[in-house]
Amino acid sequence: MTSSRTVYRRGRPILEGLRYRGREGMFAWLLHRATGVGIVLFLLVHIFDIFLIGFGPDVFNKLLFLYKAWWARILEVFLLFGVLFHALNGARIIVQDFWPRLWRYERQLIWAEMAIFIPIFLWGAYVFLQPLFR
Amino acid sequence: MNQTLNAAFVNRRGRPPGGNFELYAWFFMRISGVLLLALAVFHLFWMHVVIGVDNIDFAVVAARWENPLWKLYDFFLLAFALTHGMNGLRMIGDDYVRRPGLAVAFKAVLFVLYIAFIGMGAYIIFTFVPPEPVAVLP
């Protein structure tokens, strides 16, 4: 049995992984993971800062620099990017999972997704960053 | 047929090892994904566009939680987002944490974080009591 055993090496360096030319599908997969990890890390921070509202208005209002500082506004644009991309890309995956024939049109669906994502993201980023230029 | 590889997907009875957990996890990710598409995107839109980050403070959150429907909304968002996110991390861990001992440790850490944070969030949503409005006397 051991003689016919194939060893599958799964851990690969990032640079080696990026040389794989999977085009749109690969980048959608990669971004889905990256944005997912980003969102869940933010979620842990967010649960903790809302938990601190129990310490009363003084503590909580001071803590809100986490959202109001100039650097926080920029991070919020990343959050918007992450949530919006993860939501739309997830919707595409669900649609493809329940109608498997659509997997053949994955590339086209990703571009359709981008057509929805880009205008909403640009508008949202503009709204999010507005206070910095006032 | 490669027995070692086959054993990863079905056991001798032709069933997946560990029962149907992965199937239910897959299904949960789809259902919660659809719900979060509405819950999370609307939350972001409401707090950043309708209310505006500049206007958020203690009083705004206290007023929001006067309404039990907002409490329920926030609890659903918390529960679905954290479960969806933690399961996502577990799946990523399955891909990259290959040493069996480390994999168990990784899942244990995720589980503890999951219980701790869902507990913290639910606790504050349901036990928060807004302070009495301070009467401004003339």
Side-chain angles (χ1 to χ4, degrees):
Chain A
M1 202 170 103
T2 28
S3 58
S4 68
R5 195 167 148 194
T6 319
V7 176
Y8 290 88
R9 189 168 66 91
R10 290 181 69 178
R12 283 171 202 279
I14 295 275
L15 283 177
E16 193 184 322
L18 285 177
R19 262 190 282 137
Y20 174 70
R21 283 178 287 183
R23 294 184 52 182
E24 289 91 337
M26 167 190 159
F27 284 106
W29 174 85
L30 199 60
L31 268 181
H32 200 74
R33 285 218 152 168
T35 54
V37 172
I39 294 165
V40 79
L41 290 180
F42 164 75
L43 182 62
L44 295 180
V45 175
H46 189 39
I47 292 170
F48 188 65
D49 66 54
I50 292 300
F51 177 72
L52 294 180
I53 198 174
F55 288 92
D58 296 336
V59 174
F60 187 70
N61 286 341
K62 269 188 207 125
L63 189 76
L64 283 177
F65 78 89
L66 273 177
Y67 295 89
K68 299 183 185 190
W70 66 268
W71 49 266
R73 308 284 182 156
I74 294 166
L75 289 178
E76 279 157 26
V77 174
F78 279 92
L79 181 69
L80 172 70
F81 180 95
V83 169
L84 202 58
F85 177 83
H86 201 88
L88 291 173
N89 196 55
R92 175 184 65 82
I93 294 171
I94 294 171
V95 166
Q96 290 178 178
D97 269 0
F98 284 103
W99 290 278
R101 256 181 289 175
L102 287 175
W103 280 103
R104 197 173 288 180
Y105 304 100
E106 186 187 38
R107 205 162 277 168
Q108 288 87 332
L109 285 170
I110 290 173
W111 284 108
E113 177 195 330
M114 282 296 122
I116 305 171
F117 171 81
I118 292 170
I120 301 180
F121 172 70
L122 289 179
W123 170 76
Y126 171 75
V127 174
F128 278 29
L129 291 177
Q130 270 268 298
L132 289 185
F133 302 105
R134 238 178 254 145
Chain B
M1 185 62 204
N2 188 326
Q3 293 247 306
T4 326
L5 191 63
N6 201 28
F9 299 109
V10 286
N11 61 18
R12 259 175 296 172
R13 288 181 185 163
R15 296 202 182 106
N20 279 330
F21 179 79
E22 292 297 341
L23 173 68
Y24 296 135
W26 173 86
F27 196 59
F28 172 80
M29 290 309 257
R30 268 71 195 162
I31 298 297
S32 60
V34 172
L35 288 170
L36 286 167
L37 176 65
L39 289 172
V41 173
F42 181 74
H43 177 68
L44 206 58
F45 175 74
W46 186 258
M47 298 314 263
H48 287 260
V49 180
V50 178
I51 294 185
V53 175
D54 282 322
N55 303 318
I56 297 173
D57 62 359
F58 184 88
V60 166
V61 183
R64 175 187 171 92
W65 281 349
E66 290 278 297
N67 186 342
L69 286 180
W70 271 126
K71 284 193 181 204
L72 208 60
Y73 181 97
D74 287 353
F75 176 71
F76 275 133
L77 183 55
L78 164 75
F80 281 114
L82 196 62
T83 314
H84 188 102
M86 283 300 182
N87 189 48
L89 288 184
R90 181 186 67 85
M91 286 155 63
I92 294 175
D94 282 345
D95 275 359
Y96 298 109
V97 188
R98 306 301 295 167
R99 271 176 52 197
L102 267 186
V104 171
F106 181 73
K107 276 171 204 173
V109 169
L110 286 187
F111 187 73
V112 170
L113 280 179
Y114 177 62
I115 298 297
F117 276 81
I118 213 159
M120 261 194 326
Y123 173 82
I124 200 65
I125 290 171
F126 292 116
T127 67
F128 178 77
V129 181
E132 294 293 317
V134 183
V136 185
L137 297 172

